[in-house]
Amino acid sequence: MKRLMTWLVPLLLPFSADAGAHPDFCKAIDHAGGRYLVCSFDPTRSDIRIYDRDHVSGEGYGSFASLSSGLWRQHMFSVFAMNGGMYHQDYSPVGLFIENGIERSPIVTNDGWGNFHLLPNGVFYLNGQTAGVLATEAYVAAGMKPDFATQSGPMLVIDDQLHPRFLPDSDSFKRRNGVGVSRDGFVHFVISESTVRFYDFATLFRDVLDSPNALYLDGTISSVDIPAMKRRDSLFQMGPIIAVVEKVPD
């Protein structure tokens, strides 16, 4: 991480939603005319998990507040959470979803309508203390059996190349969030604080965050929960949620 942070320093600015309260794992970045919040974690030190539903009630969490309540019952809490993939009307995952090594929704390899099917799409996964992002075909070919995984799309960066459908002069500006894993193994969760193009969003991961592979998670509903910043986005319901969790101290 030290190598990466050395050349990021000039681009990192304190996030201003609650001056002085931002945690050290989150920074604001101005890039290509857009503003982003980037929260980065070392998976060898942070417990990153992906959630879908409360397995006691069987109901989808749907919100950060519900996830927080569910975690508390397990004597855990989140220090960071972000919507983690697209979902059906009942908030169940659209594609692959693996939780604690159990596949709860199968991988989808066919094309179709919408951003999820803007191929190639991909998978964000966690296996032990390793995190990664792979295009769906590469993930299937690898025969992986991770602890946690969520499928979304489109891929933003594939082996250092931008998604071939992204246009540098596109007039499609939306709020967006995504995840990438840099060459040093850090996981970077990014949410745009302004409306941005796919192209510019992808170049942030490739050119600034040094992520050879990165995955789009969603658009309009893009949301984060960061207690240390007193920030909990709650305008939209959501399906899968990625969270960095800790145990409640004894």
Side-chain angles (χ1 to χ4, degrees):
M1 186 62 174
K2 289 182 179 178
R3 174 181 60 83
L4 175 65
M5 292 302 295
T6 299
W7 56 272
L8 275 180
V9 167
L11 297 171
L12 299 182
L13 304 171
F15 182 65
S16 59
D18 190 1
H22 61 284
D24 59 6
F25 55 77
C26 290
K27 295 291 187 291
I29 294 181
D30 291 321
H31 172 72
R35 170 156 265 221
Y36 302 86
L37 180 66
V38 179
C39 297
S40 305
F41 298 91
D42 179 350
T44 68
R45 295 174 176 268
S46 298
D47 191 355
I48 308 171
R49 302 186 181 190
I50 310 175
Y51 297 92
D52 170 36
R53 61 191 57 245
D54 186 322
H55 296 296
V56 175
S57 68
E59 297 294 323
Y61 283 118
S63 70
F64 295 130
S66 294
L67 175 61
S68 181
S69 296
L71 289 174
W72 194 253
R73 291 194 295 272
Q74 302 172 49
H75 305 287
M76 303 179 74
F77 64 97
S78 67
V79 298
F80 172 87
M82 172 178 276
N83 59 295
M86 299 173 190
Y87 54 90
H88 297 291
Q89 288 185 342
D90 63 354
Y91 308 117
S92 63
V94 169
L96 178 70
F97 184 84
I98 296 174
E99 183 179 357
N100 292 316
I102 299 173
E103 183 178 299
R104 301 192 181 278
S105 179
I107 200 161
V108 173
T109 58
N110 59 288
D111 57 10
W113 178 86
N115 285 328
F116 181 92
H117 294 287
L118 186 59
L119 303 181
N121 54 21
V123 176
F124 169 60
Y125 66 88
L126 297 143
N127 194 26
Q129 294 185 319
T130 301
V133 172
L134 284 174
T136 295
E137 287 189 2
Y139 176 89
V140 171
M144 301 191 68
K145 303 291 182 183
D147 299 317
F148 295 89
T150 183
Q151 184 182 11
S152 190
M155 286 286 286
L156 298 168
V157 187
I158 312 104
D159 296 332
D160 287 307
Q161 301 298 310
L162 302 188
H163 193 290
R165 296 283 295 277
F166 296 168
L167 302 175
D169 58 353
S170 170
D171 61 1
S172 177
F173 286 81
K174 295 182 182 296
R175 196 159 183 242
R176 307 182 191 277
N177 74 300
V179 59
V181 179
S182 51
R183 290 176 219 279
D184 58 8
F186 272 69
V187 182
H188 303 287
F189 298 105
V190 182
I191 185 169
S192 68
E193 305 289 47
S194 57
T195 57
V196 297
R197 297 184 182 97
F198 265 132
Y199 184 93
D200 298 331
F201 192 39
T203 61
L204 171 66
F205 280 100
R206 184 189 66 180
D207 301 339
V208 179
L209 299 176
D210 195 30
S211 299
N213 290 281
L215 180 66
Y216 178 68
L217 293 174
D218 217 327
T220 302
I221 73 153
S222 298
S223 306
V224 291
D225 181 26
I226 310 172
M229 291 178 65
K230 299 179 182 178
R231 175 173 176 175
R232 173 172 285 175
D233 299 341
S234 57
L235 286 177
F236 303 98
Q237 294 287 97
M238 62 193 76
I241 300 173
I242 303 169
V244 180
V245 300
E246 295 182 5
K247 292 183 178 179
V248 175
D250 294 331

